[in-house]
Amino acid sequence: MARKFEVSLDLVREAKIFLDRHLKPSPLLKNAWLSEAYGCEVYLKLENMQPIGSFKIRGASFRISKLSAEERACGVIAASAGNHAQGVAWGSRLQGVTAKIVMPRTAPLLKIENTRALGAEVILSGENYDGAFAHAQTLVAAEGRVYVPAFEDPHVIAGQGVVAVELLEQVPDADFVVSSMGGGGLMAGMATVYSALRPQTKLVGVQASGAPSLVRSLRAGQVVPATPVNTFADGIAVGTASETLRDLLTGRLHRTVEVDDETTAAAVLTLLEKAKTVSEGSAAIALGALEQLRDEVRGKKVVLIVSGGNIDVNVLSRIIDRGMIRKGRRLRMDVVISDRPGSLAKLTQLLAQKEANILEVIHDRSKPSTLIDQTEVALTLETRGPDHSREIIEALEKQVLKLELAH
Protein backbone atom coordinates (compact mmCIF):
# COMPACT_ATOMS: atom_id res chain seq x y z
CA MET A 1 0.00 0.00 0.00
CA ALA A 2 1.39 3.41 -0.95
CA ARG A 3 1.57 5.92 1.86
CA LYS A 4 -1.16 8.58 1.81
CA PHE A 5 1.26 11.50 2.06
CA GLU A 6 4.87 12.54 2.55
CA VAL A 7 6.23 14.92 5.17
CA SER A 8 9.10 17.11 3.98
CA LEU A 9 11.77 18.98 5.89
CA ASP A 10 10.53 22.18 4.24
CA LEU A 11 7.08 21.62 5.74
CA VAL A 12 8.63 21.18 9.21
CA ARG A 13 10.53 24.42 8.72
CA GLU A 14 7.31 26.15 7.70
CA ALA A 15 5.70 24.82 10.89
CA LYS A 16 8.57 26.21 12.94
CA ILE A 17 8.11 29.70 11.46
CA PHE A 18 4.44 29.61 12.48
CA LEU A 19 5.00 28.11 15.93
CA ASP A 20 7.85 30.48 16.78
CA ARG A 21 5.32 33.30 16.71
CA HIS A 22 3.29 31.69 19.49
CA LEU A 23 5.50 29.29 21.46
CA LYS A 24 8.94 29.38 22.99
CA PRO A 25 11.23 26.35 22.52
CA SER A 26 10.68 23.82 25.28
CA PRO A 27 13.56 23.51 27.78
CA LEU A 28 16.33 20.93 27.46
CA LEU A 29 18.02 20.04 30.74
CA LYS A 30 20.87 17.66 31.49
CA ASN A 31 20.07 15.52 34.51
CA ALA A 32 23.11 14.67 36.62
CA TRP A 33 21.42 11.90 38.63
CA LEU A 34 20.15 10.00 35.61
CA SER A 35 23.45 10.52 33.80
CA GLU A 36 25.36 8.91 36.64
CA ALA A 37 22.81 6.13 37.07
CA TYR A 38 22.99 5.07 33.40
CA GLY A 39 26.61 5.92 32.65
CA CYS A 40 25.80 8.38 29.89
CA GLU A 41 24.75 11.99 29.39
CA VAL A 42 20.97 12.11 29.85
CA TYR A 43 19.06 15.16 28.65
CA LEU A 44 15.35 15.77 29.19
CA LYS A 45 13.38 17.61 26.50
CA LEU A 46 10.56 19.05 28.61
CA GLU A 47 7.50 19.17 26.38
CA ASN A 48 5.47 18.92 29.60
CA MET A 49 6.32 22.63 30.02
CA GLN A 50 4.18 23.63 27.04
CA PRO A 51 1.11 25.81 27.79
CA ILE A 52 -1.15 22.73 27.60
CA GLY A 53 1.45 20.42 29.18
CA SER A 54 2.13 18.43 26.01
CA PHE A 55 3.88 18.48 22.62
CA LYS A 56 0.46 18.04 20.98
CA ILE A 57 0.04 21.82 20.97
CA ARG A 58 2.48 22.01 18.05
CA GLY A 59 0.90 19.83 15.40
CA ALA A 60 -2.71 20.75 16.17
CA SER A 61 -2.02 24.48 16.06
CA PHE A 62 -0.10 24.27 12.78
CA ARG A 63 -2.82 22.16 11.17
CA ILE A 64 -5.51 24.66 12.15
CA SER A 65 -3.41 27.48 10.72
CA LYS A 66 -3.78 25.85 7.28
CA LEU A 67 -7.60 26.00 7.25
CA SER A 68 -9.29 27.95 4.48
CA ALA A 69 -11.73 30.74 5.33
CA GLU A 70 -14.63 28.42 4.57
CA GLU A 71 -13.20 25.68 6.79
CA ARG A 72 -12.66 28.14 9.64
CA ALA A 73 -16.33 29.11 9.45
CA CYS A 74 -17.35 25.44 9.81
CA GLY A 75 -15.06 24.79 12.78
CA VAL A 76 -12.99 21.74 13.65
CA ILE A 77 -13.52 18.40 15.36
CA ALA A 78 -11.06 15.90 16.80
CA ALA A 79 -10.88 12.63 18.72
CA SER A 80 -8.44 12.35 21.59
CA ALA A 81 -7.72 10.73 24.93
CA GLY A 82 -6.69 14.15 26.20
CA ASN A 83 -3.50 15.83 25.02
CA HIS A 84 -4.46 16.22 21.36
CA ALA A 85 -7.83 17.47 22.59
CA GLN A 86 -6.13 20.27 24.49
CA GLY A 87 -3.85 21.01 21.54
CA VAL A 88 -6.83 21.41 19.21
CA ALA A 89 -8.71 23.49 21.78
CA TRP A 90 -5.71 25.77 22.36
CA GLY A 91 -4.94 26.19 18.67
CA SER A 92 -8.61 26.83 17.87
CA ARG A 93 -8.97 29.49 20.54
CA LEU A 94 -5.74 31.14 19.40
CA GLN A 95 -7.00 31.35 15.82
CA GLY A 96 -10.68 32.09 16.44
CA VAL A 97 -12.08 28.72 15.35
CA THR A 98 -14.80 26.75 17.16
CA ALA A 99 -13.79 23.24 18.28
CA LYS A 100 -15.66 20.08 19.22
CA ILE A 101 -13.69 17.22 20.79
CA VAL A 102 -14.77 13.59 21.18
CA MET A 103 -12.98 11.98 24.13
CA PRO A 104 -13.22 8.41 25.47
CA ARG A 105 -15.45 7.98 28.50
CA THR A 106 -12.34 6.69 30.27
CA ALA A 107 -10.34 9.88 29.59
CA PRO A 108 -8.77 11.41 32.71
CA LEU A 109 -10.99 14.02 34.34
CA LEU A 110 -8.10 16.51 34.37
CA LYS A 111 -7.78 16.37 30.59
CA ILE A 112 -11.54 16.66 30.08
CA GLU A 113 -11.76 19.71 32.34
CA ASN A 114 -8.71 21.35 30.77
CA THR A 115 -10.12 20.87 27.28
CA ARG A 116 -13.42 22.46 28.26
CA ALA A 117 -11.58 25.31 29.99
CA LEU A 118 -9.89 26.10 26.67
CA GLY A 119 -13.30 26.69 25.11
CA ALA A 120 -13.93 23.43 23.26
CA GLU A 121 -17.16 21.46 23.41
CA VAL A 122 -16.40 17.98 24.78
CA ILE A 123 -18.38 14.85 23.90
CA LEU A 124 -17.61 11.61 25.76
CA SER A 125 -17.95 8.48 23.63
CA GLY A 126 -16.19 5.10 23.43
CA GLU A 127 -13.95 3.22 25.85
CA ASN A 128 -10.66 4.24 24.20
CA TYR A 129 -9.23 6.40 21.42
CA ASP A 130 -10.48 4.10 18.68
CA GLY A 131 -14.06 4.35 19.97
CA ALA A 132 -13.86 8.13 20.22
CA PHE A 133 -12.42 8.31 16.70
CA ALA A 134 -15.30 6.28 15.27
CA HIS A 135 -17.89 8.60 16.83
CA ALA A 136 -16.00 11.69 15.66
CA GLN A 137 -16.19 10.44 12.09
CA THR A 138 -19.98 10.21 12.28
CA LEU A 139 -20.09 13.82 13.49
CA VAL A 140 -17.83 14.96 10.65
CA ALA A 141 -20.34 13.61 8.15
CA ALA A 142 -23.29 15.10 10.00
CA GLU A 143 -21.91 18.58 10.79
CA GLY A 144 -19.36 19.37 8.09
CA ARG A 145 -16.60 20.27 10.54
CA VAL A 146 -12.97 19.75 9.53
CA TYR A 147 -11.41 16.76 11.24
CA VAL A 148 -8.00 17.43 12.85
CA PRO A 149 -6.21 14.06 13.16
CA ALA A 150 -4.10 13.24 16.18
CA PHE A 151 -1.26 11.95 14.01
CA GLU A 152 -2.30 10.88 10.49
CA ASP A 153 -1.81 14.26 8.80
CA PRO A 154 1.27 15.87 7.20
CA HIS A 155 0.76 19.24 8.92
CA VAL A 156 0.26 17.65 12.34
CA ILE A 157 3.40 15.56 11.88
CA ALA A 158 5.36 18.58 10.64
CA GLY A 159 4.32 20.54 13.72
CA GLN A 160 5.51 17.76 16.00
CA GLY A 161 8.75 17.60 14.03
CA VAL A 162 9.67 21.06 15.27
CA VAL A 163 10.71 19.28 18.50
CA ALA A 164 13.64 17.79 16.55
CA VAL A 165 14.57 21.14 14.99
CA GLU A 166 14.83 22.60 18.48
CA LEU A 167 16.85 19.61 19.66
CA LEU A 168 19.38 20.04 16.89
CA GLU A 169 19.90 23.60 18.10
CA GLN A 170 20.06 22.61 21.78
CA VAL A 171 22.18 19.44 21.57
CA PRO A 172 23.38 19.07 17.96
CA ASP A 173 25.42 15.90 18.57
CA ALA A 174 22.88 13.67 20.36
CA ASP A 175 23.61 9.97 19.88
CA PHE A 176 20.13 8.74 20.87
CA VAL A 177 16.68 10.31 21.02
CA VAL A 178 14.16 8.20 22.93
CA SER A 179 10.45 8.94 22.77
CA SER A 180 7.11 7.30 23.38
CA MET A 181 4.85 6.46 20.45
CA GLY A 182 1.08 6.23 20.36
CA GLY A 183 -0.04 6.95 16.83
CA GLY A 184 3.54 7.84 15.92
CA GLY A 185 3.14 11.47 14.82
CA LEU A 186 5.87 12.89 17.05
CA MET A 187 8.36 10.20 16.08
CA ALA A 188 7.51 10.56 12.38
CA GLY A 189 8.09 14.31 12.60
CA MET A 190 11.42 13.86 14.38
CA ALA A 191 12.45 11.13 11.93
CA THR A 192 11.79 13.53 9.04
CA VAL A 193 14.24 16.01 10.55
CA TYR A 194 16.93 13.62 11.75
CA SER A 195 17.00 11.50 8.60
CA ALA A 196 17.66 14.66 6.59
CA LEU A 197 19.98 16.61 8.90
CA ARG A 198 21.66 14.12 11.24
CA PRO A 199 21.02 10.49 10.24
CA GLN A 200 23.67 9.18 12.66
CA THR A 201 21.40 10.05 15.61
CA LYS A 202 19.56 6.88 16.61
CA LEU A 203 15.83 7.18 17.24
CA VAL A 204 14.20 4.77 19.69
CA GLY A 205 10.42 4.42 19.73
CA VAL A 206 8.73 3.19 22.91
CA GLN A 207 5.24 1.82 23.49
CA ALA A 208 3.38 0.37 26.44
CA SER A 209 3.33 -3.42 26.46
CA GLY A 210 -0.44 -3.10 26.92
CA ALA A 211 -0.81 -1.06 23.70
CA PRO A 212 2.04 -2.08 21.36
CA SER A 213 0.36 -2.00 17.95
CA LEU A 214 2.80 0.40 16.26
CA VAL A 215 6.03 -1.26 17.44
CA ARG A 216 4.71 -4.71 16.55
CA SER A 217 3.50 -3.43 13.18
CA LEU A 218 6.97 -2.04 12.44
CA ARG A 219 8.54 -5.38 13.35
CA ALA A 220 6.02 -7.40 11.32
CA GLY A 221 6.02 -5.17 8.24
CA GLN A 222 2.23 -4.89 8.36
CA VAL A 223 -0.37 -3.48 10.73
CA VAL A 224 -0.82 -5.66 13.81
CA PRO A 225 -3.79 -4.61 16.01
CA ALA A 226 -3.21 -4.74 19.75
CA THR A 227 -6.51 -5.33 21.48
CA PRO A 228 -7.65 -5.07 24.13
CA VAL A 229 -5.67 -1.96 25.06
CA ASN A 230 -4.56 -2.15 28.69
CA THR A 231 -2.29 0.62 30.00
CA PHE A 232 -2.57 3.59 32.34
CA ALA A 233 -0.49 5.57 29.82
CA ASP A 234 -3.65 6.92 28.19
CA GLY A 235 -1.79 9.30 25.90
CA ILE A 236 -0.38 6.38 23.87
CA ALA A 237 -3.28 3.92 24.26
CA VAL A 238 -3.87 3.36 20.53
CA GLY A 239 -5.29 -0.04 19.63
CA THR A 240 -4.56 -0.18 15.90
CA ALA A 241 -1.59 1.45 14.21
CA SER A 242 -1.95 3.62 11.11
CA GLU A 243 -0.62 2.00 7.94
CA THR A 244 0.61 5.41 6.78
CA LEU A 245 2.54 6.06 10.00
CA ARG A 246 3.94 2.55 9.95
CA ASP A 247 5.15 3.19 6.41
CA LEU A 248 6.59 6.62 7.28
CA LEU A 249 8.57 5.16 10.18
CA THR A 250 9.78 1.97 8.51
CA GLY A 251 13.57 1.99 8.28
CA ARG A 252 13.89 5.25 10.21
CA LEU A 253 14.04 3.92 13.77
CA HIS A 254 17.10 2.34 15.30
CA ARG A 255 15.05 0.30 17.74
CA THR A 256 11.57 -0.18 19.19
CA VAL A 257 10.94 -1.06 22.83
CA GLU A 258 7.94 -2.20 24.85
CA VAL A 259 7.68 -1.21 28.54
CA ASP A 260 5.23 -2.55 31.12
CA ASP A 261 3.10 -0.32 33.33
CA GLU A 262 5.00 -1.14 36.53
CA THR A 263 8.25 0.10 35.00
CA THR A 264 6.51 3.18 33.62
CA ALA A 265 5.00 3.99 37.01
CA ALA A 266 8.44 3.74 38.61
CA ALA A 267 9.77 6.10 35.91
CA VAL A 268 7.05 8.67 36.75
CA LEU A 269 8.24 8.58 40.36
CA THR A 270 11.91 8.81 39.38
CA LEU A 271 11.31 11.88 37.21
CA LEU A 272 9.35 13.45 40.05
CA GLU A 273 12.09 12.82 42.61
CA LYS A 274 15.27 13.10 40.57
CA ALA A 275 14.29 15.63 37.89
CA LYS A 276 11.64 17.56 39.83
CA THR A 277 9.29 17.25 36.88
CA VAL A 278 5.75 15.93 36.68
CA SER A 279 5.24 13.54 33.77
CA GLU A 280 2.36 11.38 32.65
CA GLY A 281 2.82 7.72 31.88
CA SER A 282 3.05 8.28 28.13
CA ALA A 283 6.03 10.59 28.76
CA ALA A 284 7.85 8.74 31.54
CA ILE A 285 7.83 5.54 29.48
CA ALA A 286 10.84 6.92 27.58
CA LEU A 287 12.83 6.73 30.81
CA GLY A 288 11.31 3.30 31.47
CA ALA A 289 12.92 2.09 28.25
CA LEU A 290 16.38 3.25 29.24
CA GLU A 291 17.12 0.14 31.30
CA GLN A 292 16.74 -2.00 28.16
CA LEU A 293 19.17 0.33 26.37
CA ARG A 294 21.69 0.57 29.22
CA ASP A 295 24.60 -1.23 27.53
CA GLU A 296 24.10 0.50 24.19
CA VAL A 297 23.89 4.06 25.52
CA ARG A 298 26.84 3.89 27.90
CA GLY A 299 29.07 6.90 27.34
CA LYS A 300 26.67 8.44 24.81
CA LYS A 301 24.48 11.55 24.69
CA VAL A 302 20.85 10.52 25.18
CA VAL A 303 17.77 12.73 24.91
CA LEU A 304 14.54 11.58 26.53
CA ILE A 305 11.41 13.31 25.25
CA VAL A 306 9.21 14.10 28.27
CA SER A 307 6.22 14.44 26.00
CA GLY A 308 3.56 15.49 28.51
CA GLY A 309 2.74 16.14 32.14
CA ASN A 310 -1.05 15.92 32.28
CA ILE A 311 -1.45 13.23 34.90
CA ASP A 312 -4.48 12.95 37.16
CA VAL A 313 -3.53 13.65 40.80
CA ASN A 314 -5.33 10.50 41.96
CA VAL A 315 -3.31 8.39 39.52
CA LEU A 316 -0.13 10.20 40.60
CA SER A 317 -0.94 9.46 44.24
CA ARG A 318 -1.33 5.75 43.51
CA ILE A 319 1.88 5.74 41.50
CA ILE A 320 3.79 7.39 44.33
CA ASP A 321 2.37 4.89 46.80
CA ARG A 322 3.18 1.85 44.66
CA GLY A 323 6.56 3.25 43.71
CA MET A 324 7.50 3.78 47.34
CA ILE A 325 6.52 0.18 48.10
CA ARG A 326 8.47 -1.10 45.11
CA LYS A 327 11.57 0.83 46.19
CA GLY A 328 11.30 -0.55 49.72
CA ARG A 329 10.55 2.84 51.24
CA ARG A 330 6.98 2.11 52.26
CA LEU A 331 5.74 -0.90 54.22
CA ARG A 332 2.21 -2.16 54.52
CA MET A 333 1.57 -4.98 56.93
CA ASP A 334 -1.02 -6.61 59.15
CA VAL A 335 0.18 -7.61 62.60
CA VAL A 336 -1.61 -9.46 65.38
CA ILE A 337 -0.93 -8.36 68.95
CA SER A 338 -2.33 -9.20 72.37
CA ASP A 339 -5.55 -7.36 73.20
CA ARG A 340 -4.28 -6.14 76.52
CA PRO A 341 -3.89 -2.58 77.75
CA GLY A 342 -0.60 -1.10 76.56
CA SER A 343 0.00 -3.56 73.69
CA LEU A 344 -0.60 -0.98 70.99
CA ALA A 345 1.55 1.55 72.84
CA LYS A 346 4.42 -0.96 72.95
CA LEU A 347 4.03 -1.54 69.22
CA THR A 348 4.20 2.17 68.34
CA GLN A 349 7.06 2.65 70.80
CA LEU A 350 9.07 -0.03 69.01
CA LEU A 351 8.38 1.63 65.67
CA ALA A 352 9.54 4.95 67.08
CA GLN A 353 12.76 3.34 68.33
CA LYS A 354 13.36 1.94 64.86
CA GLU A 355 12.72 5.40 63.35
CA ALA A 356 9.82 4.25 61.20
CA ASN A 357 7.40 6.99 60.22
CA ILE A 358 3.83 5.81 60.88
CA LEU A 359 1.55 6.94 58.06
CA GLU A 360 -1.55 4.98 59.08
CA VAL A 361 -2.71 2.67 61.88
CA ILE A 362 -5.98 0.74 61.82
CA HIS A 363 -6.78 -1.12 65.04
CA ASP A 364 -9.42 -3.82 64.48
CA ARG A 365 -10.73 -6.17 67.19
CA SER A 366 -13.59 -7.50 65.07
CA LYS A 367 -11.63 -9.61 62.58
CA PRO A 368 -13.03 -13.19 62.76
CA SER A 369 -9.57 -14.58 62.03
CA THR A 370 -8.19 -13.36 65.39
CA LEU A 371 -8.75 -14.97 68.78
CA ILE A 372 -10.85 -13.31 71.46
CA ASP A 373 -7.76 -12.04 73.31
CA GLN A 374 -6.06 -10.74 70.17
CA THR A 375 -6.42 -7.75 67.92
CA GLU A 376 -5.18 -7.00 64.39
CA VAL A 377 -3.37 -3.81 63.49
CA ALA A 378 -2.92 -2.68 59.88
CA LEU A 379 0.20 -0.52 59.55
CA THR A 380 1.48 1.71 56.77
CA LEU A 381 5.04 2.85 57.44
CA GLU A 382 7.55 5.05 55.68
CA THR A 383 11.16 3.88 55.83
CA ARG A 384 14.58 4.96 54.56
CA GLY A 385 14.87 2.04 52.15
CA PRO A 386 15.03 -1.77 51.82
CA ASP A 387 17.64 -2.31 54.56
CA HIS A 388 15.70 -0.17 57.03
CA SER A 389 12.48 -2.00 56.11
CA ARG A 390 14.09 -5.40 56.78
CA GLU A 391 15.36 -4.15 60.13
CA ILE A 392 11.84 -3.04 61.11
CA ILE A 393 10.27 -6.32 60.00
CA GLU A 394 12.80 -8.37 61.96
CA ALA A 395 12.19 -6.30 65.10
CA LEU A 396 8.41 -6.60 64.79
CA GLU A 397 8.52 -10.36 64.23
CA LYS A 398 10.12 -10.70 67.66
CA GLN A 399 7.36 -8.72 69.38
CA VAL A 400 4.06 -9.41 67.61
CA LEU A 401 2.10 -12.66 67.49
CA LYS A 402 1.80 -12.67 63.71
CA LEU A 403 3.04 -10.47 60.83
CA GLU A 404 1.88 -10.53 57.25
CA LEU A 405 3.13 -8.12 54.59
CA ALA A 406 0.53 -6.53 52.32
CA HIS A 407 1.30 -5.72 48.68
Side-chain angles (χ1 to χ4, degrees), residues 68-214:
S68 67
E70 182 179 354
E71 289 172 330
R72 287 173 179 272
C74 293
V76 298
I77 189 168
S80 170
N83 285 336
H84 180 58
Q86 293 173 77
V88 172
W90 190 90
S92 296
R93 187 175 71 173
L94 174 73
Q95 300 173 75
V97 177
T98 63
K100 182 177 288 188
I101 315 292
V102 184
M103 303 179 73
R105 286 188 289 269
T106 54
L109 181 60
L110 173 67
K111 293 182 178 181
I112 294 171
E113 291 179 342
N114 286 351
T115 303
R116 285 176 174 151
L118 288 166
E121 178 185 348
V122 174
I123 298 171
L124 301 179
S125 180
E127 297 304 314
N128 52 36
Y129 169 78
D130 293 336
F133 173 80
H135 186 62
Q137 294 308 301
T138 66
L139 294 177
V140 169
E143 301 180 7
R145 288 176 178 267
V146 177
Y147 186 74
V148 180
F151 43 84
E152 198 169 4
D153 180 275
H155 296 98
V156 170
I157 293 172
Q160 323 300 32
V162 176
V163 172
V165 178
E166 291 179 7
L167 274 176
L168 283 170
E169 295 171 352
Q170 293 168 324
V171 54
D173 56 346
D175 296 298
F176 289 83
V177 176
V178 186
S179 176
S180 64
M181 300 191 302
L186 172 59
M187 187 58 79
M190 293 197 299
T192 298
V193 175
Y194 275 104
S195 62
L197 300 179
R198 187 177 160 81
Q200 62 267 47
T201 295
K202 297 176 179 178
L203 303 182
V204 179
V206 189
Q207 281 200 302
S209 56
S213 179
L214 184 53

Side-chain angles (χ1 to χ4, degrees), residues 9-22:
L9 182 60
D10 285 343
L11 189 60
V12 177
R13 286 171 168 159
E14 182 183 342
K16 187 174 189 301
I17 292 171
F18 168 78
L19 292 173
D20 281 350
R21 296 201 295 266
H22 306 288

Side-chain angles (χ1 to χ4, degrees), residues 97-401:
V97 177
T98 63
K100 182 177 288 188
I101 315 292
V102 184
M103 303 179 73
R105 286 188 289 269
T106 54
L109 181 60
L110 173 67
K111 293 182 178 181
I112 294 171
E113 291 179 342
N114 286 351
T115 303
R116 285 176 174 151
L118 288 166
E121 178 185 348
V122 174
I123 298 171
L124 301 179
S125 180
E127 297 304 314
N128 52 36
Y129 169 78
D130 293 336
F133 173 80
H135 186 62
Q137 294 308 301
T138 66
L139 294 177
V140 169
E143 301 180 7
R145 288 176 178 267
V146 177
Y147 186 74
V148 180
F151 43 84
E152 198 169 4
D153 180 275
H155 296 98
V156 170
I157 293 172
Q160 323 300 32
V162 176
V163 172
V165 178
E166 291 179 7
L167 274 176
L168 283 170
E169 295 171 352
Q170 293 168 324
V171 54
D173 56 346
D175 296 298
F176 289 83
V177 176
V178 186
S179 176
S180 64
M181 300 191 302
L186 172 59
M187 187 58 79
M190 293 197 299
T192 298
V193 175
Y194 275 104
S195 62
L197 300 179
R198 187 177 160 81
Q200 62 267 47
T201 295
K202 297 176 179 178
L203 303 182
V204 179
V206 189
Q207 281 200 302
S209 56
S213 179
L214 184 53
V215 299
R216 294 186 183 180
S217 298
L218 287 166
R219 294 167 189 166
Q222 61 183 13
V223 170
V224 179
T227 54
V229 170
N230 184 22
T231 176
F232 84 93
D234 56 276
I236 52 173
V238 177
T240 303
S242 157
E243 174 65 27
T244 300
L245 269 294
R246 184 203 67 78
D247 194 37
L248 283 171
L249 288 167
T250 295
R252 287 177 153 182
L253 301 187
H254 168 70
R255 186 170 170 183
T256 57
V257 178
E258 295 178 33
V259 176
D260 62 56
D261 273 7
E262 285 296 321
T263 302
T264 301
V268 171
L269 182 59
T270 298
L271 287 173
L272 187 63
E273 288 191 310
K274 304 302 184 181
K276 312 307 177 190
T277 191
V278 176
S279 62
E280 57 193 277
S282 57
I285 198 170
L287 173 58
L290 206 52
E291 187 62 39
Q292 297 182 47
L293 303 168
R294 180 183 285 275
D295 292 340
E296 197 170 357
V297 302
R298 193 175 304 278
K300 305 295 185 180
K301 287 187 177 181
V302 182
V303 177
L304 304 181
I305 308 296
V306 183
S307 56
N310 295 313
I311 187 168
D312 185 273
V313 292
N314 293 316
V315 174
L316 183 59
S317 177
R318 292 195 295 271
I319 287 173
I320 291 172
D321 190 49
R322 291 182 66 173
M324 295 283 277
I325 292 171
R326 182 172 176 169
K327 292 185 176 184
R329 291 165 51 193
R330 186 164 293 180
L331 280 174
R332 284 180 176 171
M333 65 181 73
D334 296 322
V335 301
V336 176
I337 61 177
S338 170
D339 191 21
R340 295 179 181 175
S343 294
L344 183 60
K346 291 180 181 178
L347 176 66
T348 56
Q349 184 179 16
L350 174 62
L351 293 172
Q353 291 172 351
K354 293 298 177 182
E355 298 181 340
N357 185 25
I358 301 174
L359 300 178
E360 185 178 46
V361 176
I362 301 176
H363 188 255
D364 190 355
R365 291 187 175 89
S366 62
K367 282 286 186 74
S369 58
T370 57
L371 300 178
I372 195 70
D373 61 343
Q374 297 176 349
T375 186
E376 184 171 294
V377 181
L379 295 168
T380 302
L381 309 174
E382 187 177 22
T383 73
R384 294 190 297 271
D387 292 341
H388 189 208
S389 294
R390 282 191 291 271
E391 179 185 341
I392 292 167
I393 292 169
E394 290 171 1
L396 286 172
E397 286 177 333
K398 295 176 182 178
Q399 178 169 310
V400 303
L401 301 173

